[in-house]
Amino acid sequence: MLKIKNLNAFYGDVQVLYDINLEIKEKEIVTILGSNGAGKTTLMKTICGIETRRTGEIEFENESLMKVPAYKLVTKGITLTPEGRHLFPELTVKENLMLGAYSTKDKSNYEWILELFPRLKERLNQYAGTMSGGEQQQCAIARALMSNPKFLMLDEPSLGLAPNIVDTVFDIIKKINKERGITIVIVEQNANIALNAADRGYVLENGVIRMSGDAKEMLASSEIQKLYLGL
Ligand code: ATP
């Protein structure tokens, strides 16, 4: 579905991603692991054509994205939930959700989304900025789903959340994939939860892909256990 070939990315003259090659197949959940500053967020932004200068090739459904502006990606079925959520805190939950459907004008996912997120259904008229971190993360994912994506990218969905809330958020992520076949890429520092949810994983270190493989095999790998699972 998504093929990345020899991708390099730069902020000004500073290179941050080096010769990235990766492939995401339809209906997969893939996680991209890496520590602080590894380049995970930069990779998401670069796929979307935000902020960086890029060379190489990015193809989505056999079409190059290299000349497609970021605002058009949503109409191709690609959506990003950025790190830090970026909700509109002074709008209600319902208003935030409706903004997610602004570009596609398709609100057909709304009822499904309220079933997936009962917490949000109870809080539709609450200002998004007054909700807990876990509720805000759910609202950000729900807003992304309002655009009816085929391909959903989540940047650090576990960030700043208590462990039991992280479990709830990841259970919902797995349901989104299972119930609608939406392909999901999860950028995470929390290797344990991400590899448990994913089919496959990649490890990014200093802007280079260091390792990739089946998620269960990666969980069992002594290198991953030492570097990312603290075992
Ligand atoms: P984190 O988990 O801490 O967000 P990350 O793996 O997502 O880390 P990035 O945010 O992609 O890492 O950062 C990769 C490198 O690019 C870092 O060295 C960072 O300082 C640099 N960088 C990120 N954004 C910019 C920017 N707008 N301008 C210049 N350099 C940047």
Side-chain angles (χ1 to χ4, degrees):
M1 189 175 212
L2 184 86
K3 284 188 191 146
I4 296 183
K5 296 177 202 155
N6 306 320
L7 183 71
N8 296 287
F10 306 80
Y11 292 107
D13 291 335
V14 180
Q15 185 162 2
V16 175
L17 298 180
Y18 300 85
D19 223 14
I20 303 286
N21 287 284
L22 62 85
E23 184 168 353
I24 317 271
K25 299 191 192 84
E26 214 179 325
K27 299 193 165 96
E28 274 191 316
I29 301 182
V30 174
T31 184
I32 297 172
L33 304 173
S35 45
N36 271 324
K40 304 180 301 297
T41 298
T42 302
L43 179 58
M44 295 297 100
K45 286 183 185 166
T46 302
I47 292 170
C48 295
I50 302 167
E51 270 187 64
T52 56
R53 181 169 67 78
R54 57 191 181 173
T55 64
E57 186 53 80
I58 305 169
E59 279 177 11
F60 183 70
E61 297 185 320
N62 298 317
E63 186 198 341
S64 175
L65 295 184
M66 294 303 280
K67 294 207 165 77
V68 178
Y71 71 88
K72 283 216 169 131
L73 292 183
V74 71
T75 60
K76 297 194 179 293
I78 302 173
T79 301
L80 169 68
T81 302
E83 188 179 338
R85 298 151 202 156
H86 296 276
L87 292 174
F88 294 97
E90 285 162 19
L91 297 183
T92 64
V93 169
K94 186 169 183 184
E95 286 164 341
N96 271 280
L97 294 183
M98 289 304 154
L99 281 173
Y102 180 78
S103 295
T104 52
K105 310 276 182 255
D106 171 5
K107 298 187 179 123
S108 58
N109 269 353
Y110 187 60
E111 292 303 323
W112 174 56
I113 288 168
L114 296 188
E115 268 172 45
L116 271 178
F117 298 95
R119 265 314 247 238
L120 298 182
K121 190 174 178 181
E122 292 163 9
R123 289 169 168 71
L124 286 173
N125 296 316
Q126 187 171 333
Y127 291 115
T130 64
M131 293 199 302
S132 72
E135 290 161 358
Q136 290 194 30
Q137 185 57 268
Q138 292 183 41
C139 189
I141 297 172
R143 183 180 59 180
L145 288 177
M146 283 296 290
S147 70
N148 207 357
K150 300 185 228 181
F151 188 83
L152 176 64
M153 291 183 277
L154 303 171
D155 194 349
E156 301 228 19
S158 77
L159 196 72
L161 304 184
N164 62 330
I165 311 291
V166 171
D167 288 342
T168 305
V169 168
F170 272 77
D171 284 345
I172 293 171
I173 292 170
K174 286 186 271 185
K175 257 190 177 174
I176 292 167
N177 172 262
K178 206 166 167 202
E179 290 185 8
R180 293 285 165 106
I182 296 173
T183 309
I184 300 178
V185 176
I186 310 168
V187 161
E188 262 298 344
Q189 286 193 46
N190 187 336
N192 190 26
I193 188 94
L195 284 173
N196 270 302
D199 301 304
R200 288 192 304 119
Y202 289 88
V203 173
L204 193 61
E205 262 177 34
N206 299 319
V208 174
I209 301 279
R210 287 282 178 221
M211 207 189 292
S212 65
D214 174 83
K216 300 287 166 289
E217 284 171 23
M218 286 175 82
L219 262 177
S221 126
S222 56
E223 203 175 339
I224 294 277
Q225 292 193 351
K226 198 165 70 193
L227 290 175
Y228 294 98
L229 300 174
L231 299 175

